[in-house]
Amino acid sequence: MRCPVRWDKGQLRTQEGTPRYDCSGHLPTGMPGLALLPGLCLLLSWPGDLDWKNSDVVVSTAEGLHITPTRRGDSCNPHCPVHSTCVNSTHCTCDPGFRSESGYKFFQFLLETCNDIDECRPPISVYCGVHGECRNIEGTFECHCLPGYELLSGGTRFKNSSENTCQNVTTSSSRTSKQLQKVVEEVKSHLDNTTLWRSGNKTDVATKVTKILKQMEKNVLETALRSPEKTTQRVQNSSVAVETRVVRSCSGWRELFGLVAQSNAMEIHCTDVLQNPQGPSAVAFISYSSLGRILDGSFFQEPGETGRAHLSSQVVSATIGPDRNLSVRQPVSLTFQRTQGVSRDGQVLCVYWASQQWGGHWSTDGCLLVGENSTHVFCNATHLSSFAVLVALSQQEEDFVLDVITYVGLGLSLLCLLLAALTFLLCKAIQNTSTSIHLQLSLCLFLAHLLFLTAIDRTEIRVLCAIIAGALHYLYLAAFTWMLLEGLNLFLTARNLMVVNYSGMNKVIKWLMFPVGYGVPAVIVGVSAASRPHLYGTPRRCWLQLQNAFVWSFLGPICAMACVNFVFFLSVLCILRRKLSSLNSEVSTIQNTRMLTFKATAQLVILGCTWCLGVLQVGPAAKLLAYLFTIVNTLQGVFIFLVYCLLSQQVRKWFRELIRTKSMSESLTLSSRFGPESKPSEIHEEKIVKLEPPATRGQGSPWIQSTS
């Protein structure tokens, strides 16, 4: 049962509108005898069952009716509307900043709503101070500066007039921009003074430039922090461009700031910029378009680098303040626009200006080349300074003799690999597992050398060059994988000398050699291409790039395969040593295994050790090692044909049979060419000259006698 009344502010009324009662304990005029009505209405209007033992009802008339009951259950009855809360599990009241539509503070009416209070309009009309205005938002309000004004702290809102620090932005920004422009113009005048840079030696020039760079960074940071309300500033002229950014807080440790100057860019983490949590910090990015003519490549000094060098970008500076700190916790990303085209003969380096008390020079310490394309170069730096992109030209320029050796050696190697592959395929006398491995090895090297010879310099199309580099990566890895399988097969062959029934492993290697020989390189190249596809192909060669140690996706597997093969060879030598000491050894088997060991060892030297010559091309002996590397590697096909074909007794016998068969076919063709009218003496003389071997002349060759 529900009491047909509603109450608020000390009054009760029927939901139908009459009569009205005062729940304060006083009766309205003309209504005697109803002194107990407040308590009765309270009981009748109480929804649900009461636990009288735990009930607590308090009625106060100071500000109307206040009830503090204790009831069963956790839910509020009635249900409260949006922007309201439940009071004592029986009534609802609007949240701060909202007012009920009926105007009552406590209510139970199911259709009641809570509406936002506009504090910015009468009767409240919050005052935000001079140059400030109130803006109402749902549930509360905010103070903002008028257009053209900003808070001194750089914030966008404040709570009341006591926090108002609004000031004219136009005047302050204009004054700051003029100051920053003055700094830039002063540096430009120094850089354009050719007389200043022509006089003196390199040490004096480096000292002057170092002083100008430091003073420029200091002045820019001070100017930016002098007007922190201006978050971002950009100023430039024909020689210098500057962008500054003032930072007061970071939204997260991953937040990045990007700054751009003269088509060059920098990205730095907010946490590295923010030095003083109590005040603003600033980061400045400066680009010098004419400084590269002063600090040219002649200032590049790096151990082991004795060749020429030149700058391939503008010089940029990055600094953070107010303390001009040069250290950062996370690498800074730098993007340089090329000022020169892609060089095919030099190495691209990211360098920084290493200043000293007297002088300075370009150095690569803490700078890493991330990537490059035809228009830009991307670098990472672990510290702040002045940076540039430098192209170091190797002192070892194009060598005509090396080019001739490469083309002649690869051409001869291709011919020998083709002959070796045909021999392994057609010679029935040597058909076995080892021959099948040699065939696949020859095919891989043939395709790799052919692709290297014809497409290593096809760098015009970026995608095509990357595909060529990936194909070379795969083919050379496949060649080393088949070499590893040859070492395993050699070990199993030697193991057969010690174990009677060891043919099961031979069957296993026959089943697994093709999946391993072509599958393992495919997995390595697939993972490499999926993780870093942009590192396939360089501006000069279609091969793997050196940055991020990506070349170890090739060197790592081949070094591992060479080490495993070396273990196989040591095991084979131990087996042979024990077998040779046995009196019951079969001499023919031992001889065959020793020959196989010699061939596989020669293969290891040809395909494994020669690559060490390429890695060791540093220092004074670099040129000699380059010649050795070129000669040995271009003649790989020749060595394979020599070791596995010409030194094989069975293959030589097969070659002789081929030649003899060809001679017989020529003799048959010759006999059919002479008709019955020919003179017998002519026929006999022709046959003697062309058919009789030197060893059988005068001894009555059976073949000649039968045809005479």
Side-chain angles (χ1 to χ4, degrees):
M1 179 178 179
R2 181 179 295 273
C3 180
V5 297
R6 297 175 60 187
W7 60 85
D8 192 63
K9 296 182 180 179
Q11 291 188 355
L12 293 172
R13 65 179 179 180
T14 62
Q15 293 183 0
E16 290 79 7
T18 59
R20 294 180 181 273
Y21 301 100
D22 186 355
C23 290
S24 63
H26 302 279
L27 297 175
T29 305
M31 299 294 293
L34 297 178
L36 300 178
L37 183 59
L40 178 61
C41 289
L42 178 63
L43 295 177
L44 293 177
S45 62
W46 202 279
D49 298 331
L50 288 174
D51 186 354
W52 291 102
K53 295 181 180 179
N54 299 321
S55 296
D56 186 11
V57 180
V58 177
V59 179
S60 174
T61 59
E63 296 180 359
L65 181 63
H66 297 272
I67 306 173
T68 310
T70 303
R71 301 182 62 254
R72 295 174 182 170
D74 297 327
S75 61
C76 185
N77 194 355
H79 298 289
C80 297
V82 181
H83 303 306
S84 67
T85 55
C86 182
V87 179
N88 299 326
S89 301
T90 58
H91 296 79
C92 300
T93 185
C94 292
D95 295 336
F98 295 89
R99 179 187 295 114
S100 64
E101 185 177 7
S102 64
Y104 300 136
K105 185 175 182 180
F106 301 99
F107 55 86
Q108 277 188 319
F109 186 43
L110 297 178
L111 300 181
E112 187 67 88
T113 58
C114 293
N115 301 323
D116 176 56
I117 300 174
D118 191 349
E119 295 88 352
C120 300
R121 303 183 64 180
I124 302 177
S125 300
V126 173
Y127 177 64
C128 291
V130 181
H131 306 308
E133 62 177 355
C134 178
R135 296 182 185 178
N136 181 67
I137 59 176
E138 192 176 58
T140 184
F141 67 94
E142 292 178 347
C143 289
H144 292 257
C145 294
L146 294 173
Y149 296 85
E150 284 186 358
L151 291 174
L152 183 61
S153 63
T156 58
R157 57 183 180 269
F158 52 98
K159 295 181 180 179
N160 48 53
S161 58
S162 63
E163 298 181 359
N164 187 329
T165 59
C166 297
Q167 62 179 358
N168 193 312
V169 178
T170 306
T171 304
S172 176
S173 299
S174 177
R175 183 172 60 253
T176 304
S177 298
K178 290 181 180 179
Q179 293 174 352
L180 191 59
Q181 187 70 40
K182 182 180 179 180
V183 173
V184 171
E185 294 297 335
E186 183 179 357
V187 173
K188 179 180 181 297
S189 64
H190 289 300
L191 297 179
D192 294 343
N193 188 357
T194 56
T195 306
L196 180 64
W197 307 114
R198 288 177 181 175
S199 60
N201 53 29
K202 291 181 58 176
T203 302
D204 295 336
V205 171
T207 303
K208 294 176 183 178
V209 171
T210 300
K211 183 177 179 180
I212 291 176
L213 291 175
K214 291 182 178 180
Q215 190 63 39
M216 175 65 173
E217 295 173 6
K218 178 182 177 181
N219 293 340
V220 168
L221 290 175
E222 290 179 351
T223 305
L225 292 172
R226 196 173 293 125
S227 300
E229 72 281 353
K230 187 65 175 177
T231 305
T232 303
Q233 298 185 65
R234 297 183 181 90
V235 174
Q236 71 176 38
N237 54 31
S238 59
S239 299
V240 184
V242 178
E243 180 174 353
T244 64
R245 187 183 183 99
V246 178
V247 181
R248 296 175 183 84
S249 62
C250 299
S251 60
W253 66 274
R254 292 185 178 180
E255 183 179 4
L256 290 172
F257 292 141
L259 294 90
V260 180
Q262 292 180 340
S263 301
N264 305 303
M266 176 185 70
E267 283 190 348
I268 186 171
H269 286 78
C270 176
T271 54
D272 288 325
V273 178
L274 193 63
Q275 298 179 351
N276 183 14
Q278 304 301 326
S281 299
V283 55
F285 185 59
I286 310 169
S287 178
Y288 305 91
S289 59
S290 59
L291 187 56
R293 295 193 298 268
I294 302 172
L295 298 181
D296 54 19
S298 62
F299 288 89
F300 178 58
Q301 298 178 5
E302 199 72 11
E305 296 288 347
T306 58
R308 296 177 294 108
H310 65 268
L311 293 186
S312 184
S313 73
Q314 297 173 344
V315 179
V316 301
S317 295
T319 182
I320 54 179
D323 299 330
R324 195 178 171 269
N325 188 13
L326 300 181
S327 62
V328 291
R329 290 184 292 271
Q330 302 180 71
V332 177
S333 299
L334 299 168
T335 301
F336 296 89
Q337 185 180 36
R338 291 182 183 270
T339 57
Q340 300 181 6
V342 178
S343 175
R344 300 176 60 88
D345 303 322
Q347 181 183 5
V348 177
L349 301 173
C350 298
V351 296
Y352 85 100
W353 182 251
S355 59
Q356 300 172 349
Q357 184 177 2
W358 299 103
H361 63 276
W362 292 114
S363 175
T364 58
D365 293 341
C367 301
L368 177 65
L369 176 65
V370 178
E372 57 178 311
N373 54 33
S374 59
T375 59
H376 289 83
V377 178
F378 310 97
C379 304
N380 280 351
T382 58
H383 54 79
L384 299 182
S385 180
S386 296
F387 304 93
V389 173
L390 185 142
V391 176
L393 301 177
S394 176
Q395 193 174 24
Q396 180 181 327
E397 299 178 355
E398 293 294 333
D399 194 328
F400 176 75
V401 177
L402 279 178
D403 291 340
V404 172
I405 294 175
T406 299
Y407 286 101
V408 173
L410 286 179
L412 186 60
S413 184
L414 288 173
L415 176 61
C416 291
L417 285 172
L418 180 61
L419 294 176
L422 293 176
T423 301
F424 298 144
L425 186 64
L426 300 178
C427 183
K428 304 299 182 181
I430 60 173
Q431 294 297 321
N432 52 35
T433 302
S434 181
T435 303
S436 180
I437 294 175
H438 298 157
L439 174 61
Q440 304 306 318
L441 173 62
S442 300
L443 291 177
C444 290
L445 284 178
F446 179 84
L447 295 176
H449 288 346
L450 181 63
L451 188 61
F452 181 91
L453 189 64
T454 58
I456 189 65
D457 295 328
R458 303 291 184 181
T459 59
E460 297 83 3
I461 304 177
R462 170 76 176 176
V463 177
L464 178 61
C465 184
I467 294 175
I468 294 172
L472 287 173
H473 189 192
Y474 174 77
L475 290 173
Y476 280 118
L477 281 181
F480 274 90
T481 306
W482 284 106
M483 183 187 70
L484 176 64
L485 292 174
E486 169 60 19
L488 176 61
N489 182 66
L490 173 66
F491 171 75
L492 295 178
T493 303
R495 185 65 175 167
N496 285 335
L497 300 175
M498 306 296 296
V499 181
V500 177
N501 188 12
Y502 205 75
S503 60
M505 292 301 298
N506 290 330
K507 295 181 180 179
V508 173
I509 195 173
K510 289 181 180 179
W511 281 97
L512 294 180
M513 64 178 184
F514 283 99
V516 172
Y518 291 110
V520 171
V523 171
I524 296 175
V525 175
V527 172
S528 302
S531 60
R532 295 176 180 176
H534 61 283
L535 296 182
Y536 277 99
T538 69
R540 294 165 295 280
R541 297 287 185 272
C542 295
W543 184 236
L544 310 184
Q545 297 186 20
L546 299 179
Q547 54 263 32
N548 296 335
F550 185 68
V551 72
W552 282 99
S553 63
F554 173 71
L555 294 179
I558 67 173
C559 289
M561 294 176 189
C563 292
V564 174
N565 254 346
F566 185 71
V567 174
F568 284 150
F569 296 145
L570 292 180
S571 301
V572 169
L573 293 178
C574 293
I575 293 174
L576 288 176
R577 185 172 178 274
R578 291 197 302 268
K579 192 65 177 177
L580 287 173
S581 62
S582 176
L583 298 177
N584 297 326
S585 300
E586 296 181 6
V587 177
S588 59
T589 304
I590 292 295
Q591 291 177 346
N592 292 336
T593 305
R594 294 169 86 179
M595 178 59 68
L596 188 60
T597 304
F598 163 73
K599 294 178 180 179
T601 305
Q603 177 180 322
L604 177 66
V605 174
I606 293 170
L607 295 181
C609 296
T610 55
W611 287 90
C612 298
L613 298 176
V615 177
L616 297 175
Q617 290 185 33
V618 292
K623 191 170 185 178
L624 176 61
L625 292 175
Y627 275 97
L628 292 177
F629 176 80
T630 304
I631 293 173
V632 176
N633 280 277
T634 54
L635 296 178
Q636 287 175 340
V638 178
F639 293 149
I640 290 177
F641 182 68
L642 175 65
V643 172
Y644 291 106
C645 296
L646 297 184
L647 294 182
S648 173
Q649 183 178 3
Q650 293 173 311
V651 173
R652 292 199 304 269
K653 182 179 179 181
W654 180 66
F655 283 158
R656 288 194 295 268
E657 291 178 354
L658 284 179
I659 296 174
R660 186 180 297 111
T661 303
K662 183 178 180 181
S663 300
M664 293 174 58
S665 62
E666 288 180 355
S667 64
L668 293 176
T669 304
L670 183 63
S671 62
S672 61
R673 184 160 56 90
F674 290 98
E677 298 179 357
S678 301
K679 296 180 181 180
S681 60
E682 296 178 356
I683 300 176
H684 183 73
E685 291 177 359
E686 186 76 20
K687 293 178 182 178
I688 291 295
V689 172
K690 290 190 175 184
L691 297 180
E692 185 177 1
T696 59
R697 291 181 183 178
Q699 298 179 6
S701 173
W703 171 250
I704 296 178
Q705 293 177 0
S706 63
T707 56
S708 298

Short mmCIF file of all heavy atoms in Angstrom, two decimals, residues 384-425:
data_model
loop_
_atom_site.label_atom_id
_atom_site.label_comp_id
_atom_site.label_asym_id
_atom_site.label_seq_id
_atom_site.Cartn_x
_atom_site.Cartn_y
_atom_site.Cartn_z
N LEU A 384 72.32 14.29 -28.54
CA LEU A 384 71.98 15.49 -29.30
C LEU A 384 73.25 16.24 -29.67
O LEU A 384 74.21 16.29 -28.90
CB LEU A 384 71.05 16.39 -28.50
CG LEU A 384 69.69 15.78 -28.12
CD1 LEU A 384 68.85 16.80 -27.37
CD2 LEU A 384 68.95 15.27 -29.35
N SER A 385 73.24 16.85 -30.85
CA SER A 385 74.39 17.59 -31.34
C SER A 385 73.99 18.20 -32.68
O SER A 385 72.80 18.39 -32.97
CB SER A 385 75.61 16.68 -31.47
OG SER A 385 76.73 17.40 -31.94
N SER A 386 74.99 18.46 -33.51
CA SER A 386 74.76 18.85 -34.91
C SER A 386 75.05 17.63 -35.78
O SER A 386 76.06 16.94 -35.60
CB SER A 386 75.67 20.02 -35.30
OG SER A 386 75.35 21.17 -34.54
N PHE A 387 74.16 17.36 -36.75
CA PHE A 387 74.22 16.13 -37.52
C PHE A 387 74.23 16.43 -39.01
O PHE A 387 73.83 17.51 -39.45
CB PHE A 387 73.04 15.21 -37.20
CG PHE A 387 72.90 14.87 -35.74
CD1 PHE A 387 72.10 15.63 -34.90
CD2 PHE A 387 73.58 13.78 -35.20
CE1 PHE A 387 71.97 15.32 -33.57
CE2 PHE A 387 73.46 13.47 -33.86
CZ PHE A 387 72.66 14.24 -33.05
N ALA A 388 74.66 15.43 -39.78
CA ALA A 388 74.63 15.52 -41.24
C ALA A 388 74.77 14.12 -41.81
O ALA A 388 75.06 13.15 -41.08
CB ALA A 388 75.75 16.42 -41.76
N VAL A 389 74.55 14.02 -43.11
CA VAL A 389 74.75 12.77 -43.84
C VAL A 389 75.99 12.93 -44.70
O VAL A 389 76.13 13.90 -45.45
CB VAL A 389 73.54 12.42 -44.71
CG1 VAL A 389 73.83 11.21 -45.59
CG2 VAL A 389 72.32 12.16 -43.84
N LEU A 390 76.89 11.98 -44.59
CA LEU A 390 78.18 12.04 -45.28
C LEU A 390 78.35 10.80 -46.14
O LEU A 390 77.99 9.69 -45.73
CB LEU A 390 79.31 12.16 -44.25
CG LEU A 390 80.73 12.36 -44.75
CD1 LEU A 390 81.46 13.33 -43.84
CD2 LEU A 390 81.47 11.03 -44.78
N VAL A 391 78.88 10.99 -47.31
CA VAL A 391 79.17 9.88 -48.22
C VAL A 391 80.69 9.72 -48.27
O VAL A 391 81.41 10.62 -48.73
CB VAL A 391 78.60 10.12 -49.62
CG1 VAL A 391 79.01 8.98 -50.56
CG2 VAL A 391 77.09 10.25 -49.56
N ALA A 392 81.18 8.59 -47.78
CA ALA A 392 82.61 8.30 -47.77
C ALA A 392 82.96 7.47 -48.99
O ALA A 392 82.44 6.36 -49.18
CB ALA A 392 82.99 7.56 -46.48
N LEU A 393 83.81 8.02 -49.82
CA LEU A 393 84.24 7.33 -51.02
C LEU A 393 85.45 6.48 -50.68
O LEU A 393 86.43 6.96 -50.11
CB LEU A 393 84.61 8.32 -52.12
CG LEU A 393 83.48 9.26 -52.55
CD1 LEU A 393 83.99 10.25 -53.58
CD2 LEU A 393 82.32 8.47 -53.11
N SER A 394 85.35 5.20 -51.00
CA SER A 394 86.45 4.29 -50.70
C SER A 394 87.68 4.66 -51.52
O SER A 394 87.59 5.05 -52.68
CB SER A 394 86.03 2.84 -51.01
OG SER A 394 87.11 1.96 -50.82
N GLN A 395 88.83 4.52 -50.87
CA GLN A 395 90.06 4.84 -51.56
C GLN A 395 90.33 3.85 -52.68
O GLN A 395 90.99 4.15 -53.66
CB GLN A 395 91.22 4.82 -50.57
CG GLN A 395 92.51 5.43 -51.10
CD GLN A 395 93.57 5.53 -50.04
OE1 GLN A 395 93.55 4.79 -49.06
NE2 GLN A 395 94.52 6.44 -50.21
N GLN A 396 89.76 2.66 -52.52
CA GLN A 396 89.91 1.64 -53.56
C GLN A 396 88.82 1.88 -54.60
O GLN A 396 87.68 1.46 -54.45
CB GLN A 396 89.77 0.24 -52.96
CG GLN A 396 89.91 -0.86 -54.00
CD GLN A 396 89.73 -2.22 -53.37
OE1 GLN A 396 90.09 -2.44 -52.23
NE2 GLN A 396 89.18 -3.14 -54.12
N GLU A 397 89.14 2.58 -55.65
CA GLU A 397 88.17 2.91 -56.67
C GLU A 397 87.98 1.71 -57.59
O GLU A 397 88.50 0.63 -57.37
CB GLU A 397 88.63 4.15 -57.42
CG GLU A 397 88.78 5.38 -56.51
CD GLU A 397 89.28 6.58 -57.27
OE1 GLU A 397 89.59 6.42 -58.48
OE2 GLU A 397 89.37 7.66 -56.67
N GLU A 398 87.23 1.93 -58.65
CA GLU A 398 86.95 0.86 -59.59
C GLU A 398 88.26 0.32 -60.16
O GLU A 398 89.10 1.05 -60.68
CB GLU A 398 86.05 1.38 -60.71
CG GLU A 398 84.65 1.75 -60.23
CD GLU A 398 83.87 0.55 -59.75
OE1 GLU A 398 84.16 -0.57 -60.24
OE2 GLU A 398 82.98 0.71 -58.91
N ASP A 399 88.43 -0.99 -60.03
CA ASP A 399 89.65 -1.65 -60.48
C ASP A 399 89.32 -2.42 -61.76
O ASP A 399 88.52 -3.38 -61.73
CB ASP A 399 90.18 -2.59 -59.40
CG ASP A 399 91.61 -3.03 -59.68
OD1 ASP A 399 91.96 -3.15 -60.87
OD2 ASP A 399 92.37 -3.25 -58.71
N PHE A 400 89.93 -2.01 -62.85
CA PHE A 400 89.65 -2.66 -64.13
C PHE A 400 90.09 -4.12 -64.12
O PHE A 400 89.42 -4.99 -64.68
CB PHE A 400 90.35 -1.89 -65.25
CG PHE A 400 90.20 -2.52 -66.60
CD1 PHE A 400 89.00 -2.43 -67.29
CD2 PHE A 400 91.26 -3.21 -67.19
CE1 PHE A 400 88.86 -3.03 -68.54
CE2 PHE A 400 91.12 -3.80 -68.42
CZ PHE A 400 89.92 -3.71 -69.10
N VAL A 401 91.21 -4.39 -63.45
CA VAL A 401 91.71 -5.77 -63.41
C VAL A 401 90.73 -6.67 -62.65
O VAL A 401 90.45 -7.80 -63.07
CB VAL A 401 93.10 -5.81 -62.75
CG1 VAL A 401 93.60 -7.25 -62.63
CG2 VAL A 401 94.08 -4.98 -63.54
N LEU A 402 90.19 -6.16 -61.53
CA LEU A 402 89.21 -6.95 -60.79
C LEU A 402 87.95 -7.20 -61.61
O LEU A 402 87.37 -8.29 -61.54
CB LEU A 402 88.85 -6.23 -59.49
CG LEU A 402 89.83 -6.38 -58.32
CD1 LEU A 402 89.34 -5.58 -57.12
CD2 LEU A 402 89.99 -7.84 -57.94
N ASP A 403 87.54 -6.20 -62.37
CA ASP A 403 86.37 -6.40 -63.22
C ASP A 403 86.62 -7.48 -64.26
O ASP A 403 85.76 -8.35 -64.51
CB ASP A 403 86.00 -5.08 -63.90
CG ASP A 403 85.47 -4.05 -62.93
OD1 ASP A 403 85.03 -4.47 -61.83
OD2 ASP A 403 85.48 -2.86 -63.26
N VAL A 404 87.81 -7.47 -64.86
CA VAL A 404 88.13 -8.49 -65.86
C VAL A 404 88.17 -9.87 -65.22
O VAL A 404 87.64 -10.85 -65.77
CB VAL A 404 89.49 -8.15 -66.53
CG1 VAL A 404 89.93 -9.30 -67.44
CG2 VAL A 404 89.38 -6.87 -67.34
N ILE A 405 88.79 -9.97 -64.05
CA ILE A 405 88.85 -11.26 -63.36
C ILE A 405 87.45 -11.76 -63.02
O ILE A 405 87.14 -12.96 -63.17
CB ILE A 405 89.70 -11.14 -62.08
CG1 ILE A 405 91.16 -10.86 -62.43
CG2 ILE A 405 89.60 -12.40 -61.23
CD1 ILE A 405 92.04 -10.59 -61.22
N THR A 406 86.59 -10.84 -62.59
CA THR A 406 85.24 -11.24 -62.22
C THR A 406 84.47 -11.79 -63.42
O THR A 406 83.88 -12.88 -63.36
CB THR A 406 84.48 -10.04 -61.63
OG1 THR A 406 85.17 -9.60 -60.46
CG2 THR A 406 83.06 -10.43 -61.27
N TYR A 407 84.47 -11.06 -64.53
CA TYR A 407 83.69 -11.49 -65.68
C TYR A 407 84.27 -12.74 -66.33
O TYR A 407 83.52 -13.66 -66.69
CB TYR A 407 83.59 -10.35 -66.70
CG TYR A 407 82.65 -9.26 -66.29
CD1 TYR A 407 83.11 -8.07 -65.75
CD2 TYR A 407 81.27 -9.42 -66.41
CE1 TYR A 407 82.25 -7.06 -65.35
CE2 TYR A 407 80.39 -8.43 -66.02
CZ TYR A 407 80.89 -7.25 -65.49
OH TYR A 407 80.02 -6.27 -65.10
N VAL A 408 85.59 -12.80 -66.46
CA VAL A 408 86.20 -13.99 -67.07
C VAL A 408 86.03 -15.20 -66.16
O VAL A 408 85.67 -16.30 -66.62
CB VAL A 408 87.69 -13.72 -67.36
CG1 VAL A 408 88.37 -15.01 -67.84
CG2 VAL A 408 87.84 -12.63 -68.41
N GLY A 409 86.27 -15.01 -64.86
CA GLY A 409 86.14 -16.13 -63.93
C GLY A 409 84.72 -16.64 -63.84
O GLY A 409 84.50 -17.87 -63.85
N LEU A 410 83.74 -15.74 -63.75
CA LEU A 410 82.36 -16.20 -63.68
C LEU A 410 81.91 -16.85 -64.98
O LEU A 410 81.15 -17.83 -64.96
CB LEU A 410 81.44 -15.02 -63.34
CG LEU A 410 81.48 -14.51 -61.90
CD1 LEU A 410 80.54 -13.33 -61.71
CD2 LEU A 410 81.12 -15.62 -60.92
N GLY A 411 82.37 -16.33 -66.12
CA GLY A 411 82.02 -16.96 -67.39
C GLY A 411 82.57 -18.37 -67.49
O GLY A 411 81.86 -19.31 -67.89
N LEU A 412 83.84 -18.54 -67.12
CA LEU A 412 84.43 -19.88 -67.13
C LEU A 412 83.76 -20.78 -66.10
O LEU A 412 83.54 -21.99 -66.36
CB LEU A 412 85.93 -19.77 -66.86
CG LEU A 412 86.75 -21.05 -66.96
CD1 LEU A 412 86.66 -21.63 -68.36
CD2 LEU A 412 88.21 -20.76 -66.60
N SER A 413 83.42 -20.23 -64.95
CA SER A 413 82.77 -21.02 -63.90
C SER A 413 81.38 -21.48 -64.35
O SER A 413 80.98 -22.62 -64.07
CB SER A 413 82.67 -20.20 -62.62
OG SER A 413 82.13 -20.95 -61.56
N LEU A 414 80.65 -20.61 -65.03
CA LEU A 414 79.33 -21.00 -65.53
C LEU A 414 79.43 -22.16 -66.51
O LEU A 414 78.62 -23.11 -66.47
CB LEU A 414 78.64 -19.81 -66.18
CG LEU A 414 78.13 -18.71 -65.24
CD1 LEU A 414 77.63 -17.52 -66.04
CD2 LEU A 414 77.01 -19.25 -64.36
N LEU A 415 80.43 -22.11 -67.40
CA LEU A 415 80.61 -23.20 -68.36
C LEU A 415 80.94 -24.51 -67.64
O LEU A 415 80.36 -25.57 -67.95
CB LEU A 415 81.73 -22.83 -69.34
CG LEU A 415 82.12 -23.90 -70.36
CD1 LEU A 415 80.92 -24.25 -71.25
CD2 LEU A 415 83.31 -23.44 -71.20
N CYS A 416 81.84 -24.46 -66.67
CA CYS A 416 82.22 -25.68 -65.95
C CYS A 416 81.07 -26.22 -65.10
O CYS A 416 80.88 -27.44 -64.99
CB CYS A 416 83.43 -25.41 -65.08
SG CYS A 416 84.96 -25.10 -66.01
N LEU A 417 80.29 -25.34 -64.49
CA LEU A 417 79.14 -25.80 -63.70
C LEU A 417 78.10 -26.47 -64.59
O LEU A 417 77.47 -27.46 -64.20
CB LEU A 417 78.51 -24.62 -62.96
CG LEU A 417 79.28 -24.10 -61.74
CD1 LEU A 417 78.66 -22.81 -61.22
CD2 LEU A 417 79.29 -25.16 -60.63
N LEU A 418 77.91 -25.93 -65.80
CA LEU A 418 76.97 -26.55 -66.72
C LEU A 418 77.46 -27.94 -67.14
O LEU A 418 76.68 -28.90 -67.17
CB LEU A 418 76.79 -25.65 -67.94
CG LEU A 418 75.83 -26.15 -69.03
CD1 LEU A 418 74.42 -26.32 -68.45
CD2 LEU A 418 75.82 -25.20 -70.21
N LEU A 419 78.75 -28.06 -67.45
CA LEU A 419 79.30 -29.38 -67.81
C LEU A 419 79.22 -30.35 -66.64
O LEU A 419 78.92 -31.54 -66.82
CB LEU A 419 80.75 -29.22 -68.27
CG LEU A 419 80.97 -28.43 -69.57
CD1 LEU A 419 82.46 -28.28 -69.84
CD2 LEU A 419 80.28 -29.14 -70.73
N ALA A 420 79.49 -29.84 -65.42
CA ALA A 420 79.42 -30.72 -64.25
C ALA A 420 78.00 -31.20 -64.02
O ALA A 420 77.77 -32.38 -63.71
CB ALA A 420 79.94 -29.97 -63.02
N ALA A 421 77.02 -30.30 -64.15
CA ALA A 421 75.63 -30.70 -63.96
C ALA A 421 75.21 -31.74 -64.98
O ALA A 421 74.53 -32.73 -64.65
CB ALA A 421 74.73 -29.46 -64.03
N LEU A 422 75.62 -31.57 -66.25
CA LEU A 422 75.29 -32.56 -67.27
C LEU A 422 75.97 -33.89 -66.98
O LEU A 422 75.39 -34.96 -67.20
CB LEU A 422 75.71 -32.03 -68.65
CG LEU A 422 74.92 -30.82 -69.17
CD1 LEU A 422 75.51 -30.33 -70.49
CD2 LEU A 422 73.44 -31.19 -69.35
N THR A 423 77.19 -33.83 -66.48
CA THR A 423 77.90 -35.07 -66.13
C THR A 423 77.18 -35.81 -65.01
O THR A 423 76.97 -37.03 -65.07
CB THR A 423 79.34 -34.75 -65.72
OG1 THR A 423 80.00 -34.09 -66.80
CG2 THR A 423 80.09 -36.02 -65.37
N PHE A 424 76.82 -35.09 -63.94
CA PHE A 424 76.12 -35.73 -62.82
C PHE A 424 74.77 -36.28 -63.24
O PHE A 424 74.30 -37.28 -62.69
CB PHE A 424 75.92 -34.71 -61.69
CG PHE A 424 77.21 -34.18 -61.12
CD1 PHE A 424 77.31 -32.86 -60.70
CD2 PHE A 424 78.32 -35.00 -61.00
CE1 PHE A 424 78.49 -32.37 -60.18
CE2 PHE A 424 79.51 -34.51 -60.47
CZ PHE A 424 79.59 -33.19 -60.07
N LEU A 425 74.18 -35.66 -64.23
CA LEU A 425 72.84 -36.08 -64.65
C LEU A 425 72.88 -37.26 -65.62
O LEU A 425 72.00 -38.12 -65.58
CB LEU A 425 72.13 -34.88 -65.30
CG LEU A 425 70.66 -35.07 -65.67
CD1 LEU A 425 69.81 -35.30 -64.42
CD2 LEU A 425 70.14 -33.84 -66.42
#
